[in-house]
Amino acid sequence: MHSMRDVAIVGAGPAGSTCARYLARAGHDVILIDKEEFPRDKPCGGGFSSDIIDEFSYLKDKTDEFLDGICKVGILHSPNRRISLHSRVEMAVALRTKFDAALFDAAVEAGVNTRQKSFVKGVQIKKDKVTIHLSSGDQIDCKAIVGADGVNSIVARKTGLNKMWSTKDVTPCRVSEIPVEQKEIDEMYSKERRYHFFANFNNLPGYGWIFPKLKTVNVGIGVMGPKATGLPMLFQRFIGFLEYKGLLPLNSDISAAKGAIVPTGGTIDRTSCERCILMGDAAGMVNPLTGGGIGYAMQAGRIGAKVLSKHLQEDNLSKDALKIYDELWRAEFGHEIGPLKLVQRLFTSSFTSALFEIGSRDDELQKMVASVMTEMDESKPSTSSIAARALLVCIREAFHLRKS
């Protein structure tokens, strides 16, 4: 068995595989550990900004392996279903089985060692190394560990960075990838592949979505923790509603529906400690409004790899040295998450219908809101600019001013 790895990464999703690839390309000895065997499924919408493919250019040669299309028009529905906001904001869609496998394969191609079907049951951070205990009885020693192991991260718990999520900070979801004939998808969602978000379905704080893909339609619903009871029954009601509206074929097959938990309450206070960093869902790097986090996870993976590479070379993996990781990811994308949490509160409050009414009267505001719903859009407006625009629309309507 290998005596000492440079870095062990727990979790081979978008964050872990991205981090592993960058570290291996920098010349480090990396092992990527996951409890599943790839390819594996993950309950998720599978929608992300197409900017990811440009930003992580090595994915361009792999689009045939994972890309299921580009949805070109987003539609956001009000809780009372009377108002729908439309905007042209492109979103790439993929089956997570294929997308995550492509990222995993890219890491392996870069020279990353892997350990699949391996459950981590313990993590010990010592003065000179980290020891990882597997359920098989094996142990792995490394100089640093990355926790990219999802919302129930054992690395976060064992290091004390996050013992447990509060109920109010998570959104339980129900998701299904529904098989649909391509001809029917074209008829229901047009060649533009219109995707839909539904605010507060059944008057419960949360969101529903429909993402049309190549041969499937991904449907999901999430309800904020304190109100998330009876989710399987609510999901069936949502499916029935979509069938009635002609957005799904009658008697759609939802036998593959699965549950998931998304950390939508914002990021944890600290994502690094002695010889350890956290990323992705393990750190709460998720858009609180939509539950999307693929883009954030990959950005964090790249940043984390650069930080660890530098400090491995300097032989300094102290808590103080790794603080820079927190600073860098917060500067690159973390500053968006707090304001988005405020938007989430507005969109799950009693003011939601009023917000839709305001938005229906202004094309520019619709574009701004639609942009916020996506990941990694460089033109994404700030929360303050959205609030300012909404105020402008209210004043304009009140005084019958000309549109600007």
Side-chain angles (χ1 to χ4, degrees), residues 41-129:
D41 191 22
K42 177 180 172 63
C44 171
F48 51 90
S49 170
S50 54
D51 290 349
I52 288 178
I53 298 170
D54 293 324
E55 183 160 347
F56 297 88
S57 57
Y58 60 91
L59 291 179
K60 290 181 180 179
D61 294 334
K62 292 182 173 289
T63 53
D64 289 345
E65 299 175 24
F66 68 82
L67 190 62
D68 249 17
I70 303 289
C71 298
K72 296 184 178 180
V73 176
I75 304 175
L76 184 59
H77 301 268
S78 67
N80 58 19
R81 314 295 166 238
R82 294 175 185 168
I83 298 173
S84 298
L85 308 182
H86 295 63
S87 190
R88 287 190 166 275
V89 178
E90 289 192 355
M91 179 179 69
V93 288
L95 298 176
R96 283 297 299 270
T97 307
K98 294 181 178 180
F99 183 70
D100 288 20
L103 295 178
F104 182 84
D105 290 345
V108 172
E109 290 163 9
V112 173
N113 302 285
T114 65
R115 184 78 183 254
Q116 301 182 66
K117 298 177 73 173
S118 295
F119 290 82
V120 173
K121 69 173 187 179
V123 175
Q124 290 179 293
I125 296 183
K126 304 173 184 178
K127 183 178 180 181
D128 59 342
K129 65 179 179 180

Coordinates of all heavy atoms in Angstrom, one line a residue, residues 41-129:
D41 N -25.5 7.4 -10.5 CA -26.5 8.4 -10.6 C -26.5 9.3 -9.4 O -26.0 8.9 -8.3 CB -27.9 7.8 -10.8 CG -28.9 8.8 -11.2 OD1 -28.6 9.9 -11.7 OD2 -30.1 8.6 -11.0
K42 N -27.0 10.5 -9.5 CA -27.2 11.4 -8.4 C -28.5 12.2 -8.6 O -28.7 12.8 -9.7 CB -26.0 12.4 -8.3 CG -26.1 13.4 -7.2 CD -25.0 14.3 -7.2 CE -25.2 15.5 -6.2 NZ -25.3 15.0 -4.8
P43 N -29.4 12.1 -7.7 CA -30.6 12.9 -7.8 C -30.4 14.4 -7.9 O -30.0 15.0 -6.9 CB -31.5 12.5 -6.6 CG -30.5 12.0 -5.6 CD -29.3 11.4 -6.4
C44 N -30.6 15.0 -9.1 CA -30.3 16.4 -9.3 C -30.9 16.8 -10.6 O -31.2 16.0 -11.5 CB -28.7 16.5 -9.4 SG -28.1 18.1 -9.9
G45 N -31.2 18.1 -10.7 CA -31.8 18.6 -12.0 C -30.8 18.4 -13.2 O -31.3 18.2 -14.3
G46 N -29.5 18.6 -12.9 CA -28.6 18.4 -14.0 C -28.6 19.6 -15.0 O -28.2 19.5 -16.1
G47 N -28.9 20.8 -14.5 CA -28.9 22.0 -15.3 C -27.7 22.9 -14.7 O -27.5 23.0 -13.5
F48 N -27.0 23.5 -15.7 CA -25.9 24.4 -15.3 C -25.7 25.4 -16.4 O -26.0 25.2 -17.6 CB -24.7 23.6 -14.9 CG -24.3 22.6 -16.0 CD1 -23.4 23.0 -17.0 CD2 -24.7 21.3 -16.0 CE1 -23.0 22.1 -18.0 CE2 -24.4 20.4 -17.0 CZ -23.5 20.8 -18.0
S49 N -25.0 26.5 -16.1 CA -24.7 27.5 -17.1 C -23.7 26.9 -18.1 O -22.8 26.2 -17.8 CB -24.0 28.7 -16.4 OG -23.5 29.6 -17.4
S50 N -24.0 27.2 -19.4 CA -23.1 26.7 -20.5 C -21.7 27.3 -20.4 O -20.8 26.9 -21.0 CB -23.7 27.0 -21.8 OG -24.1 28.3 -22.0
D51 N -21.6 28.4 -19.6 CA -20.3 29.0 -19.4 C -19.3 28.1 -18.8 O -18.1 28.2 -18.9 CB -20.4 30.2 -18.4 CG -21.2 31.4 -19.0 OD1 -21.4 31.4 -20.3 OD2 -21.5 32.3 -18.3
I52 N -19.8 27.0 -18.1 CA -18.9 26.0 -17.4 C -18.0 25.4 -18.5 O -16.8 25.2 -18.3 CB -19.7 25.0 -16.7 CG1 -20.3 25.6 -15.4 CG2 -18.8 23.8 -16.3 CD1 -21.1 24.6 -14.6
I53 N -18.6 25.1 -19.7 CA -17.8 24.4 -20.7 C -16.7 25.3 -21.3 O -15.7 24.8 -21.6 CB -18.8 23.9 -21.8 CG1 -19.8 23.0 -21.2 CG2 -18.1 23.3 -23.0 CD1 -21.0 22.6 -22.2
D54 N -17.0 26.6 -21.3 CA -15.9 27.5 -21.7 C -14.9 27.7 -20.7 O -13.7 27.8 -20.9 CB -16.5 28.9 -22.1 CG -17.4 28.7 -23.4 OD1 -17.1 28.0 -24.3 OD2 -18.5 29.4 -23.4
E55 N -15.3 27.8 -19.4 CA -14.4 28.1 -18.3 C -13.5 26.9 -18.0 O -12.3 27.1 -17.7 CB -15.1 28.5 -17.1 CG -14.2 28.9 -15.9 CD -14.9 29.8 -14.9 OE1 -16.0 30.3 -15.1 OE2 -14.3 29.9 -13.8
F56 N -14.0 25.7 -18.1 CA -13.2 24.5 -17.9 C -13.1 23.9 -19.3 O -13.8 22.9 -19.7 CB -13.9 23.6 -16.9 CG -14.0 24.2 -15.6 CD1 -15.1 25.0 -15.2 CD2 -13.0 24.0 -14.6 CE1 -15.2 25.6 -14.0 CE2 -13.1 24.6 -13.4 CZ -14.2 25.3 -13.0
S57 N -12.1 24.4 -20.1 CA -12.1 24.1 -21.5 C -11.8 22.7 -21.9 O -12.1 22.2 -23.0 CB -11.0 25.0 -22.2 OG -9.7 24.8 -21.5
Y58 N -11.2 21.9 -20.9 CA -11.0 20.5 -21.2 C -12.3 19.7 -21.4 O -12.3 18.6 -21.9 CB -10.2 19.9 -20.1 CG -10.7 19.9 -18.7 CD1 -11.5 18.9 -18.2 CD2 -10.5 20.9 -17.8 CE1 -12.1 18.9 -16.9 CE2 -11.0 21.0 -16.5 CZ -11.8 19.9 -16.1 OH -12.3 20.0 -14.8
L59 N -13.4 20.3 -21.0 CA -14.7 19.7 -21.2 C -15.2 19.8 -22.6 O -16.1 19.0 -23.0 CB -15.8 20.3 -20.2 CG -15.6 20.1 -18.7 CD1 -16.7 20.8 -18.0 CD2 -15.7 18.6 -18.4
K60 N -14.7 20.7 -23.4 CA -15.1 20.8 -24.8 C -15.0 19.6 -25.6 O -15.8 19.3 -26.4 CB -14.4 22.0 -25.4 CG -14.8 23.4 -24.9 CD -14.0 24.5 -25.6 CE -14.4 25.8 -25.0 NZ -13.7 27.0 -25.7
D61 N -13.9 18.8 -25.3 CA -13.7 17.6 -26.1 C -14.6 16.4 -25.5 O -14.5 15.3 -26.1 CB -12.2 17.2 -26.0 CG -11.3 18.2 -26.7 OD1 -11.8 18.8 -27.6 OD2 -10.1 18.3 -26.3
K62 N -15.3 16.7 -24.5 CA -16.1 15.6 -23.8 C -17.6 15.9 -23.9 O -18.4 15.1 -23.4 CB -15.7 15.5 -22.4 CG -14.3 14.9 -22.2 CD -14.0 14.7 -20.7 CE -12.7 14.0 -20.5 NZ -12.7 12.6 -20.8
T63 N -18.0 17.0 -24.6 CA -19.4 17.3 -24.7 C -20.3 16.2 -25.3 O -21.4 16.0 -24.9 CB -19.7 18.6 -25.4 OG1 -19.1 18.5 -26.7 CG2 -19.1 19.8 -24.6
D64 N -19.7 15.4 -26.2 CA -20.5 14.3 -26.8 C -20.8 13.2 -25.8 O -21.7 12.5 -26.0 CB -19.7 13.7 -28.0 CG -19.6 14.6 -29.2 OD1 -20.4 15.6 -29.2 OD2 -18.8 14.4 -30.1
E65 N -20.0 13.2 -24.7 CA -20.1 12.2 -23.7 C -21.2 12.5 -22.7 O -21.8 11.6 -22.1 CB -18.8 12.0 -22.9 CG -17.7 11.5 -23.8 CD -16.4 11.4 -23.0 OE1 -16.5 11.3 -21.7 OE2 -15.3 11.5 -23.6
F66 N -21.5 13.9 -22.5 CA -22.4 14.2 -21.4 C -23.5 15.2 -21.8 O -24.6 15.2 -21.1 CB -21.6 14.7 -20.2 CG -21.0 16.1 -20.4 CD1 -21.7 17.3 -20.3 CD2 -19.6 16.1 -20.7 CE1 -21.1 18.5 -20.5 CE2 -19.0 17.4 -20.9 CZ -19.7 18.5 -20.8
L67 N -23.3 16.1 -22.8 CA -24.2 17.2 -23.0 C -25.5 16.7 -23.6 O -25.5 16.1 -24.7 CB -23.6 18.3 -23.9 CG -24.3 19.6 -24.0 CD1 -24.5 20.3 -22.6 CD2 -23.7 20.5 -25.0
D68 N -26.6 17.0 -23.0 CA -28.0 16.6 -23.5 C -28.7 17.7 -24.1 O -29.9 17.6 -24.3 CB -28.8 16.0 -22.3 CG -29.0 14.5 -22.4 OD1 -28.3 13.9 -23.2 OD2 -29.9 14.0 -21.8
G69 N -28.1 18.8 -24.3 CA -28.7 19.9 -25.0 C -28.5 21.3 -24.3 O -28.0 21.3 -23.2
I70 N -29.0 22.3 -24.9 CA -29.0 23.7 -24.4 C -30.4 24.2 -24.4 O -31.0 24.3 -25.4 CB -28.1 24.6 -25.2 CG1 -26.6 24.1 -25.3 CG2 -28.1 26.0 -24.6 CD1 -25.9 24.2 -24.0
C71 N -30.9 24.4 -23.2 CA -32.2 25.1 -23.1 C -32.1 26.6 -23.2 O -31.2 27.2 -22.5 CB -32.9 24.7 -21.7 SG -33.2 23.0 -21.5
K72 N -32.9 27.2 -24.0 CA -32.6 28.6 -24.4 C -33.6 29.6 -23.8 O -33.3 30.8 -23.8 CB -32.6 28.7 -25.9 CG -31.5 27.9 -26.6 CD -31.5 28.1 -28.1 CE -30.3 27.4 -28.7 NZ -30.2 27.6 -30.2
V73 N -34.7 29.1 -23.3 CA -35.7 30.1 -22.7 C -36.1 29.6 -21.3 O -36.5 28.4 -21.2 CB -36.9 30.2 -23.6 CG1 -38.0 31.1 -22.9 CG2 -36.6 30.8 -25.0
G74 N -36.0 30.4 -20.3 CA -36.4 30.1 -19.0 C -37.8 30.8 -18.7 O -38.0 31.9 -19.0
I75 N -38.6 30.0 -18.0 CA -40.0 30.5 -17.6 C -40.1 30.3 -16.1 O -40.0 29.2 -15.6 CB -41.1 29.8 -18.4 CG1 -40.8 29.9 -19.9 CG2 -42.4 30.4 -18.0 CD1 -41.8 29.1 -20.7
L76 N -40.4 31.4 -15.4 CA -40.6 31.4 -14.0 C -42.0 31.7 -13.6 O -42.6 32.7 -14.0 CB -39.7 32.5 -13.3 CG -39.6 32.6 -11.8 CD1 -39.1 31.3 -11.2 CD2 -38.7 33.7 -11.4
H77 N -42.7 30.7 -12.9 CA -44.1 30.8 -12.7 C -44.4 31.3 -11.3 O -43.8 30.8 -10.3 CB -44.8 29.4 -12.9 CG -44.6 28.9 -14.3 ND1 -45.5 29.1 -15.3 CD2 -43.5 28.1 -14.8 CE1 -45.0 28.4 -16.4 NE2 -43.9 27.8 -16.1
S78 N -45.4 32.1 -11.1 CA -45.8 32.6 -9.8 C -46.5 31.6 -9.0 O -47.0 30.6 -9.6 CB -46.6 33.9 -10.0 OG -47.9 33.5 -10.6
P79 N -46.6 31.7 -7.7 CA -47.3 30.7 -6.9 C -48.8 30.5 -7.3 O -49.3 29.4 -7.2 CB -47.2 31.3 -5.5 CG -46.0 32.1 -5.5 CD -45.9 32.7 -6.9
N80 N -49.5 31.6 -7.7 CA -50.9 31.5 -8.1 C -51.0 31.1 -9.6 O -52.1 30.9 -10.1 CB -51.6 32.7 -7.9 CG -51.0 34.0 -8.6 OD1 -50.3 33.8 -9.5 ND2 -51.4 35.2 -8.1
R81 N -49.9 30.9 -10.3 CA -49.8 30.4 -11.7 C -50.4 31.4 -12.7 O -50.6 31.1 -13.8 CB -50.5 29.0 -11.9 CG -50.2 28.0 -10.9 CD -48.7 27.6 -10.9 NE -48.4 26.8 -9.6 CZ -47.5 27.2 -8.8 NH1 -46.7 28.2 -9.0 NH2 -47.2 26.4 -7.7
R82 N -50.7 32.6 -12.2 CA -51.3 33.6 -13.1 C -50.3 34.4 -13.9 O -50.6 35.0 -14.9 CB -52.2 34.6 -12.3 CG -53.4 33.9 -11.6 CD -54.1 34.9 -10.8 NE -55.2 34.3 -10.0 CZ -55.9 34.8 -9.0 NH1 -55.5 36.1 -8.6 NH2 -56.8 34.2 -8.4
I83 N -49.0 34.4 -13.4 CA -48.0 35.2 -14.1 C -46.8 34.3 -14.4 O -46.4 33.5 -13.5 CB -47.6 36.4 -13.2 CG1 -48.7 37.3 -12.9 CG2 -46.4 37.1 -13.8 CD1 -48.4 38.4 -11.9
S84 N -46.3 34.4 -15.6 CA -45.1 33.7 -16.0 C -44.1 34.7 -16.6 O -44.5 35.5 -17.5 CB -45.4 32.6 -17.0 OG -46.3 31.7 -16.5
L85 N -42.9 34.7 -16.0 CA -41.9 35.6 -16.5 C -41.0 34.8 -17.5 O -40.4 33.7 -17.1 CB -41.0 36.1 -15.3 CG -41.8 36.8 -14.2 CD1 -40.9 37.3 -13.1 CD2 -42.7 37.9 -14.7
H86 N -40.8 35.3 -18.7 CA -40.0 34.6 -19.7 C -38.7 35.4 -19.9 O -38.7 36.6 -19.9 CB -40.7 34.6 -21.0 CG -41.9 33.8 -21.0 ND1 -43.0 34.1 -20.2 CD2 -42.3 32.6 -21.7 CE1 -44.0 33.2 -20.4 NE2 -43.6 32.3 -21.3
S87 N -37.6 34.7 -20.2 CA -36.3 35.3 -20.5 C -35.4 34.4 -21.2 O -35.5 33.2 -21.0 CB -35.6 35.9 -19.3 OG -34.6 36.7 -19.7
R88 N -34.6 34.9 -22.1 CA -33.6 34.1 -22.9 C -32.3 34.0 -22.1 O -31.4 34.9 -22.2 CB -33.4 34.7 -24.2 CG -34.5 34.5 -25.2 CD -34.1 34.9 -26.6 NE -35.2 34.4 -27.5 CZ -35.2 33.2 -28.0 NH1 -34.2 32.3 -27.7 NH2 -36.2 32.8 -28.9
V89 N -32.2 33.0 -21.2 CA -31.0 32.7 -20.5 C -30.7 31.3 -20.7 O -31.4 30.4 -20.3 CB -31.2 33.0 -19.0 CG1 -29.9 32.7 -18.2 CG2 -31.5 34.5 -18.8
E90 N -29.6 31.0 -21.4 CA -29.2 29.6 -21.8 C -28.8 28.8 -20.6 O -28.1 29.3 -19.7 CB -28.1 29.6 -22.9 CG -28.6 30.1 -24.2 CD -27.6 29.8 -25.3 OE1 -26.5 29.3 -25.0 OE2 -27.9 30.1 -26.5
M91 N -29.2 27.5 -20.6 CA -28.8 26.6 -19.6 C -28.5 25.3 -20.2 O -29.3 24.7 -21.0 CB -29.9 26.4 -18.6 CG -29.6 25.4 -17.4 SD -31.0 25.2 -16.2 CE -32.2 24.3 -17.3
A92 N -27.3 24.8 -19.9 CA -26.9 23.4 -20.4 C -27.6 22.4 -19.5 O -27.8 22.6 -18.3 CB -25.4 23.3 -20.4
V93 N -27.9 21.2 -20.1 CA -28.5 20.2 -19.3 C -27.8 18.9 -19.6 O -27.3 18.6 -20.7 CB -30.0 20.0 -19.6 CG1 -30.8 21.1 -19.0 CG2 -30.3 19.9 -21.1
A94 N -27.7 18.0 -18.6 CA -27.0 16.7 -18.8 C -27.5 15.7 -17.7 O -28.1 16.1 -16.7 CB -25.5 16.9 -18.5
L95 N -27.4 14.5 -18.0 CA -27.7 13.4 -17.0 C -26.5 13.4 -16.1 O -25.3 13.4 -16.5 CB -27.8 12.1 -17.7 CG -29.0 11.9 -18.7 CD1 -28.9 10.5 -19.4 CD2 -30.3 12.1 -18.1
R96 N -26.7 13.5 -14.8 CA -25.6 13.5 -13.9 C -24.8 12.2 -13.9 O -23.6 12.3 -13.7 CB -26.1 13.7 -12.4 CG -26.5 15.1 -12.1 CD -25.4 16.1 -12.2 NE -24.3 15.9 -11.3 CZ -24.3 16.3 -10.0 NH1 -25.2 17.1 -9.6 NH2 -23.2 16.1 -9.3
T97 N -25.4 11.1 -14.3 CA -24.6 9.9 -14.5 C -23.5 10.1 -15.5 O -22.3 9.8 -15.3 CB -25.5 8.8 -15.0 OG1 -26.6 8.6 -14.2 CG2 -24.8 7.4 -15.1
K98 N -23.8 10.8 -16.6 CA -22.8 11.0 -17.7 C -21.9 12.2 -17.4 O -20.7 12.1 -17.6 CB -23.5 11.2 -19.0 CG -24.3 10.0 -19.5 CD -24.9 10.4 -20.9 CE -25.7 9.2 -21.4 NZ -26.3 9.5 -22.7
F99 N -22.4 13.2 -16.8 CA -21.6 14.4 -16.5 C -20.6 14.1 -15.5 O -19.4 14.4 -15.7 CB -22.5 15.6 -16.1 CG -21.8 16.9 -15.8 CD1 -21.2 17.6 -16.9 CD2 -21.6 17.4 -14.6 CE1 -20.5 18.8 -16.7 CE2 -20.9 18.5 -14.3 CZ -20.4 19.2 -15.4
D100 N -21.0 13.5 -14.4 CA -20.0 13.2 -13.3 C -19.0 12.2 -13.8 O -17.8 12.2 -13.4 CB -20.8 12.7 -12.1 CG -21.5 13.9 -11.4 OD1 -21.8 14.9 -12.0 OD2 -21.8 13.7 -10.2
A101 N -19.4 11.3 -14.6 CA -18.5 10.3 -15.2 C -17.4 10.9 -16.0 O -16.3 10.5 -16.0 CB -19.2 9.2 -15.9
A102 N -17.9 11.9 -16.8 CA -16.9 12.6 -17.7 C -15.8 13.4 -16.8 O -14.7 13.4 -17.1 CB -17.6 13.6 -18.6
L103 N -16.3 14.0 -15.7 CA -15.4 14.7 -14.8 C -14.4 13.7 -14.1 O -13.2 13.9 -14.0 CB -16.1 15.5 -13.8 CG -17.0 16.7 -14.3 CD1 -17.7 17.3 -13.1 CD2 -16.1 17.7 -15.0
F104 N -15.0 12.6 -13.7 CA -14.2 11.5 -13.1 C -13.2 11.0 -14.0 O -12.0 10.8 -13.7 CB -15.2 10.4 -12.6 CG -14.5 9.3 -11.9 CD1 -14.3 9.3 -10.5 CD2 -14.2 8.1 -12.6 CE1 -13.7 8.3 -9.8 CE2 -13.6 7.0 -11.9 CZ -13.3 7.1 -10.5
D105 N -13.6 10.7 -15.3 CA -12.6 10.2 -16.3 C -11.5 11.2 -16.5 O -10.4 10.8 -16.7 CB -13.4 9.9 -17.6 CG -14.3 8.6 -17.4 OD1 -14.1 7.9 -16.4 OD2 -15.1 8.4 -18.3
A106 N -11.9 12.5 -16.6 CA -10.8 13.5 -16.8 C -9.8 13.5 -15.7 O -8.6 13.7 -15.9 CB -11.5 14.9 -16.9
A107 N -10.3 13.3 -14.5 CA -9.3 13.2 -13.3 C -8.4 12.0 -13.5 O -7.2 12.0 -13.3 CB -10.1 13.1 -12.0
V108 N -9.0 10.8 -13.9 CA -8.2 9.6 -14.0 C -7.2 9.8 -15.2 O -6.0 9.4 -15.1 CB -9.1 8.4 -14.3 CG1 -8.3 7.2 -14.7 CG2 -10.0 8.1 -13.1
E109 N -7.6 10.4 -16.3 CA -6.7 10.7 -17.4 C -5.5 11.6 -17.0 O -4.4 11.5 -17.6 CB -7.5 11.3 -18.5 CG -8.5 10.4 -19.2 CD -9.5 11.1 -20.0 OE1 -9.4 12.4 -20.2 OE2 -10.5 10.5 -20.5
A110 N -5.7 12.4 -16.0 CA -4.7 13.3 -15.5 C -3.7 12.6 -14.5 O -2.7 13.2 -14.1 CB -5.3 14.5 -14.8
G111 N -4.0 11.3 -14.2 CA -3.1 10.6 -13.3 C -3.6 10.4 -11.9 O -2.8 9.9 -11.0
V112 N -4.9 10.7 -11.6 CA -5.4 10.5 -10.3 C -5.7 9.1 -10.0 O -6.2 8.3 -10.8 CB -6.7 11.3 -10.2 CG1 -7.4 11.0 -8.8 CG2 -6.5 12.8 -10.3
N113 N -5.3 8.6 -8.8 CA -5.6 7.3 -8.3 C -7.0 7.3 -7.7 O -7.4 8.3 -7.2 CB -4.6 6.8 -7.3 CG -3.2 6.8 -7.8 OD1 -2.8 6.0 -8.5 ND2 -2.4 7.9 -7.4
T114 N -7.7 6.2 -7.8 CA -9.1 6.2 -7.3 C -9.3 5.0 -6.4 O -8.7 4.0 -6.5 CB -10.1 6.1 -8.5 OG1 -10.0 4.9 -9.2 CG2 -9.9 7.3 -9.4
R115 N -10.3 5.2 -5.5 CA -10.7 4.1 -4.6 C -12.2 4.2 -4.6 O -12.8 5.1 -3.9 CB -10.1 4.4 -3.2 CG -10.4 3.3 -2.2 CD -9.6 2.0 -2.4 NE -10.0 1.0 -1.4 CZ -9.2 0.6 -0.4 NH1 -8.1 1.2 -0.2 NH2 -9.6 -0.3 0.4
Q116 N -12.9 3.4 -5.4 CA -14.3 3.4 -5.5 C -15.0 2.4 -4.5 O -14.3 1.5 -4.0 CB -14.8 3.1 -6.9 CG -14.2 4.1 -7.9 CD -14.7 3.8 -9.3 OE1 -15.9 3.9 -9.6 NE2 -13.8 3.5 -10.2
K117 N -16.3 2.5 -4.3 CA -17.0 1.7 -3.4 C -16.3 1.6 -2.0 O -16.2 0.5 -1.4 CB -17.2 0.3 -4.0 CG -18.0 0.3 -5.3 CD -18.1 -1.1 -5.9 CE -19.1 -1.9 -5.2 NZ -19.3 -3.2 -5.9
S118 N -15.9 2.7 -1.6 CA -15.1 2.8 -0.3 C -15.8 3.8 0.6 O -15.9 5.0 0.3 CB -13.7 3.2 -0.5 OG -13.0 2.2 -1.3
F119 N -16.2 3.4 1.8 CA -16.9 4.2 2.7 C -15.9 4.8 3.8 O -15.2 4.0 4.4 CB -18.0 3.5 3.5 CG -19.2 3.2 2.6 CD1 -19.2 2.1 1.8 CD2 -20.3 4.0 2.6 CE1 -20.3 1.8 1.0 CE2 -21.4 3.7 1.8 CZ -21.4 2.6 1.0
V120 N -15.8 6.1 3.9 CA -15.0 6.7 4.9 C -15.7 6.7 6.3 O -16.8 7.2 6.3 CB -14.6 8.1 4.5 CG1 -13.8 8.8 5.7 CG2 -13.7 8.1 3.3
K121 N -15.1 6.1 7.3 CA -15.8 6.1 8.6 C -15.1 6.9 9.6 O -15.7 7.2 10.7 CB -16.0 4.6 9.1 CG -14.7 3.9 9.5 CD -15.1 2.6 10.1 CE -13.8 1.9 10.7 NZ -14.1 0.6 11.3
G122 N -13.9 7.3 9.3 CA -13.2 8.1 10.3 C -12.1 9.0 9.7 O -11.5 8.6 8.7
V123 N -11.8 10.1 10.3 CA -10.7 11.0 9.8 C -10.0 11.5 11.0 O -10.6 12.1 12.0 CB -11.3 12.2 9.0 CG1 -10.2 13.2 8.7 CG2 -12.0 11.7 7.8
Q124 N -8.7 11.3 11.1 CA -7.9 11.8 12.1 C -6.8 12.8 11.6 O -6.0 12.5 10.7 CB -7.1 10.7 12.8 CG -8.0 9.8 13.7 CD -7.2 8.7 14.3 OE1 -6.6 7.8 13.6 NE2 -7.1 8.7 15.6
I125 N -6.9 14.1 12.0 CA -5.9 15.0 11.6 C -4.8 15.1 12.7 O -5.1 15.5 13.9 CB -6.6 16.4 11.4 CG1 -7.6 16.3 10.2 CG2 -5.5 17.5 11.1 CD1 -8.2 17.6 9.9
K126 N -3.6 14.8 12.3 CA -2.5 14.7 13.2 C -1.5 15.8 12.9 O -1.7 16.6 11.9 CB -1.8 13.3 13.1 CG -2.8 12.2 13.4 CD -2.1 10.8 13.2 CE -3.1 9.7 13.3 NZ -2.6 8.4 13.0
K127 N -0.5 15.9 13.7 CA 0.5 17.0 13.5 C 1.2 16.9 12.1 O 1.4 18.0 11.5 CB 1.5 17.0 14.6 CG 2.5 18.1 14.5 CD 3.5 18.1 15.7 CE 4.5 19.3 15.6 NZ 5.5 19.2 16.7
D128 N 1.5 15.7 11.7 CA 2.3 15.6 10.5 C 1.6 14.9 9.3 O 2.1 14.7 8.2 CB 3.5 14.7 10.8 CG 3.2 13.4 11.3 OD1 2.1 13.2 11.8 OD2 4.1 12.5 11.3
K129 N 0.3 14.5 9.5 CA -0.5 13.9 8.4 C -1.9 13.7 8.8 O -2.4 14.1 9.9 CB 0.1 12.5 8.2 CG -0.1 11.5 9.4 CD 0.5 10.1 9.1 CE 0.4 9.2 10.3 NZ 0.9 7.8 10.0

